[in-house]
Amino acid sequence: MVLGVYHQGVVTPTCFFAIFRFFAPVLLICFYVFSHGYIFLKPGNMVIQCEYCMVTVPSEEAMKDHVKGKRHIRVIEACKLRQKQASLTVFTKGFSDDTTEDELRTYFSKFGKVEKIFMEYKRGLFAMVEYAEEESVTAAIAHTEHELKGDKIVVNPRKVNQTPRWVLKERKMKARQNARVKAAKENKKAIAVNKEELLLKLKSAESIVDQMRVLADFVRMTDEEITQKQGICDILSAALTKFFPACSVHQFGSSVNGFGVKGCDVDIYLDFHDDQEEALNLPDSQAPVKLPYHRDIQSLKRTEGPLTSADLQLMTAYDKVKLVSRILVEHAPGCNNIIVIPSARCPLIKFTHEPSGIKCDLSINNKLALRNTRLLQLCSRIDERVGLLVYTVRYWAKVKEIAGNINSGPRLSNYALTFLVVQYLQNLATPILPTTSRLAELAGKEKVVIDGWDCSYLDEPETFTSSANTWSGEDLLRGFFEYYSNLDFSTVVLQTRTGHILPVQQMLEQPNTESQTFKIGPISIQDPFVLDHNIGGNVTEKIKQKISEEFQIAAKKCEQWSNVVAEVQLGLVDLLGVDVPAELEEELTRLRDLDEEKEDDHSFTVILKVAQLPAEAFKNPQTPDFRLNWCFKVCLFIQRVLETILMFETEILAQTISGDVPTEKMEVDPESKMDNSQAKPTVKNTSPKNSSEQKSGTPSKGAAGMKEPMVAPGVKLEPGMAPLGSPQSPSLHMELMCSSCCRTWSGRKTLRREVMEGELDGLELEREISEKIIESDGFSPKYVVQFRCDIDTVVKTSKTAVILKLEPTDEGKEFSCFYPFFKTLIRRLVDKNLYETW
């Protein structure tokens, strides 16, 4: 309580003294904390953070240990070194762009010995001159007028930003995240406005096919946009041919593949034609032109253009992009906000055409993309229904936020989604589109090879007669959603070149190189030309689940179209809506709930991450379903961690296995057993041993409860194609009683530092830490923690997961400490060590 009196608005000395006594300890603590380079976060929880290392600790004592650690000392030494270098360095700018490093060194040597000179070109023309002694820096700064080659230059002391690096990095990341969120909100708002306008038009259509035509006309790129984009290419061509006479400018992507939409960016390919065996000769009339600043391009020795193929062949792709970007700055009117995006395979230039507001991406090493564009353009011209279906599916996917702008997240690209449509139309009982491999055969001896890949196909749409398939646009749309609603993307690879759908296991067993280097992901779609490229590889498990769910919802809504009375009412208007059919709502809600943490009932999930699985995980001869095999391995792994890592006693209370499962016994690896002589648990498989007798990739027919695979109407299954799904998924259930007489979860962080100095890693490291805890604390005469662990599996088309639910016999303090540790440990070890030790 603060004692004191107020007299005519003035605080008496008694009050001052009381206030000082009350706040003095707080002020002293704050002074100590900030003076030692760390700050409090979450004051109520007493968390302290080192502002140099971005490390949080729970107490002042822990912070004292941290500042003695190697990491903190290294960071402090780096800061001191940076400050020392700054005291020996001057900053200078204002010199001409043809100034060399030797000229700068000669000039600044007047003030003392120069150790280093660093010249910067990307963020403006300036230099850092480092001296051997601080007196030289003082002399250079004291000099009032600096002049080099007739130019007055600025010389200032170098300033070091005292803000810790982690703060700057965090601010930068937050700014990027805010910009991304803002763009996503604006995009979502624009979609909502367009959607309302479109829905009004759709409601006035007489049939679903008419609705598809209305939608296609609504989103299709206008003639004005087509003219503007061609005009941008003309501007680029006029600016660049002065420097590269043999170059040509081409559009590719959605703008010209027959599926362009309003407001889409324009993708431009600049072909230098510099891959010729003989250098192209320049015309005699070509006038010389001064090159923009290029002294940082070491491979370019000339100061004037135009450049020949021989000149360009000496330059890297990134150097070419840098030179082109500087040419655009000086010679391409209306092209603003020019940014170079470096990339090992395909560096590009981003810019905005100011008069039209169109955003552009210019690449120079992308002939394959141009070839892909022409292939899709051919598909759009073969049959009118292709365009209607693609436009409808792409708009639906954009509204559902599962495809479109990949900058908004790990969604399917429009390119990948379009090939899903193409794949479907190739696999109808009466195909509408030929496969790319068939088009290559029709091309005959006219081979087109780009970067070693066969990109040949017959590009003559007039040679293809109308398909005998008489399905309407409505039939195709309904069949498309049913086709993919039954497909578990994580178990198959869609081969867009041949039109086949192969199980992952069969794909990896193929002897060709591209199959061995193909990267399996949650969604695997093989490019039609670059056969080792997965065009759906950016999709995450979470987005794959959403994609599968949206296909199932759309398929269920399409089933209602058979009701003639409600056809128009339940057409595209309902398809684009947010309502979920009652038949699916309960199941989808249950699957989504698996992602939520349930601390009250102590349950958590371990999700299958297909992209992290090694190739061996897909080749198990005991079952063609690698998902169940993964679940089986995880169950074994959890049991192994409890027994051999955390030193628990475990007892199997019950187990149930159904479906096509591995036939091996569920037991802990004998080599991993500890010397504490724990009982070896064994779970026998009660399912029929028929899976090991099947050929790889063949669906199980004898397993109890298994039915024939579901296939969309009108879709053919050719040899080598995988079935599209199964109405019943296999499952595995285990119940364990787990008991421990030692707190092997306590104090592991401190011991980890000691043990990590050796050669141990992974599971061996965790095991060594537990042994040290037992040596130090010993065993308690009674159980410290005892709980029942129920393990269930979920194997669905949209998700595969192992669910753990822990029920303590005594929910006290020990279990409250153990549960969060156990959840984190299991997820970390499954991610890192299950796959490494498969």
Side-chain angles (χ1 to χ4, degrees), residues 56-114:
T56 57
V57 294
S59 66
E60 184 180 330
E61 291 298 324
M63 179 55 70
K64 290 179 180 179
D65 293 336
H66 166 72
V67 298
K68 297 176 184 177
K70 294 180 180 179
R71 176 181 176 182
H72 182 82
I73 293 174
R74 283 198 303 266
V75 172
I76 295 298
E77 289 176 350
C79 290
K80 291 179 179 178
L81 178 61
R82 200 159 56 245
Q83 292 173 355
K84 178 66 174 177
Q85 288 176 336
S87 66
L88 295 171
T89 308
V90 295
F91 168 87
T92 179
K93 66 177 182 178
F95 49 86
S96 60
D97 58 4
D98 60 349
T99 303
T100 65
E101 183 178 322
D102 290 337
E103 290 172 336
L104 284 174
R105 184 181 295 275
T106 301
Y107 176 79
F108 282 98
S109 294
K110 297 189 302 183
F111 307 102
K113 183 181 178 182
V114 176

Side-chain angles (χ1 to χ4, degrees), residues 745-765:
W745 56 90
S746 177
R748 297 183 73 89
K749 190 173 182 179
T750 303
L751 286 172
R752 187 183 304 277
R753 296 188 190 130
E754 301 176 7
V755 179
M756 283 182 69
E757 295 180 358
E759 298 180 355
L760 296 179
D761 191 16
L763 297 179
E764 293 183 356
L765 174 64

Side-chain angles (χ1 to χ4, degrees), residues 174-304:
K174 194 167 185 178
R176 287 179 180 175
Q177 184 179 3
N178 291 339
R180 195 179 299 117
V181 170
K182 183 179 178 181
K185 286 182 179 179
E186 292 177 352
N187 186 42
K188 196 170 184 179
K189 185 177 180 181
I191 291 175
V193 173
N194 292 335
K195 180 181 173 183
E196 292 301 321
E197 183 182 351
L198 175 62
L199 292 179
L200 292 176
K201 295 179 179 290
L202 294 179
K203 290 177 181 178
S204 62
E206 297 182 357
S207 66
I208 291 178
V209 175
D210 288 340
Q211 287 182 334
M212 294 175 69
R213 291 196 177 97
V214 168
L215 186 150
D217 293 337
F218 182 79
V219 301
R220 186 181 283 118
M221 193 167 54
T222 64
D223 292 340
E224 181 183 1
E225 284 183 289
I226 295 174
T227 303
Q228 288 175 336
K229 292 179 178 180
Q230 184 56 49
I232 295 173
C233 292
D234 294 339
I235 292 173
L236 297 180
S237 181
L240 295 171
T241 49
K242 300 175 185 177
F243 299 88
F244 316 106
C247 75
S248 57
V249 178
H250 309 273
Q251 288 188 66
F252 68 93
S254 297
S255 298
V256 289
N257 66 9
F259 308 118
V261 297
K262 295 176 183 176
C264 67
D265 299 348
V266 55
D267 297 307
I268 303 170
Y269 166 55
L270 173 62
D271 191 353
F272 290 111
H273 299 286
D274 58 339
D275 54 354
Q276 312 295 330
E277 292 184 3
E278 297 181 1
L280 296 175
N281 295 322
L282 296 176
D284 297 334
S285 59
Q286 187 75 35
V289 58
K290 183 181 178 182
L291 295 175
Y293 180 81
H294 62 280
R295 289 187 56 248
D296 56 334
I297 304 177
Q298 303 295 330
S299 57
L300 184 57
K301 306 301 182 184
R302 301 178 58 177
T303 58
E304 288 186 340

